[in-house]
Amino acid sequence: MPLIVPLVADVLDRPRMEQILGRHRPQVIFHLAAIVSGEAEAEFDKGYRINLDGTRHLLEAIRAVGPHEATVRLEAQVQATLKLDVVAIEA
């Protein structure tokens, strides 16, 4: 049975994300950091920073820790599978 380690981190803190990912080398990541549409529309810069930049930081941190495969489940029902330096997005 796989070990489940719940971790909370700021997706905008890429060095911390790389530290966590490098230590735990997760096979599955549930990315729940998001601003819902109403708040994101009211505070566009905040929504853009957290929803887009935060997700990009997570994907870049996964790539930075070295070759392994991880499945990332995002809030918006988008699944990204990373293997080595290849990113494939499945809707």
Side-chain angles (χ1 to χ4, degrees):
M1 182 145 106
L3 175 65
I4 297 174
V5 179
L7 296 169
V8 177
D10 183 348
V11 293
L12 298 176
D13 183 354
R14 184 171 163 193
R16 175 72 175 133
M17 306 244 321
E18 287 180 17
Q19 177 187 40
I20 289 170
L21 294 169
R23 178 176 179 203
H24 295 281
R25 311 283 296 175
Q27 294 176 331
V28 177
I29 299 168
F30 292 93
H31 170 31
L32 304 176
I35 301 296
V36 294
S37 62
E39 185 178 356
E41 291 167 6
E43 297 183 59
F44 184 78
D45 290 338
K46 178 181 180 182
Y48 188 87
R49 188 175 69 251
I50 293 172
N51 294 351
L52 182 63
D53 291 339
T55 300
R56 181 175 49 83
H57 286 176
L58 172 61
L59 297 175
E60 289 175 352
I62 292 168
R63 186 182 326 184
V65 299
H68 76 290
E69 184 168 322
T71 298
V72 181
R73 299 239 179 232
L74 305 172
E75 177 77 13
Q77 299 300 318
V78 174
Q79 179 177 322
T81 301
L82 286 84
K83 188 170 186 176
L84 302 174
D85 283 339
V86 177
V87 178
I89 307 262
E90 301 170 5

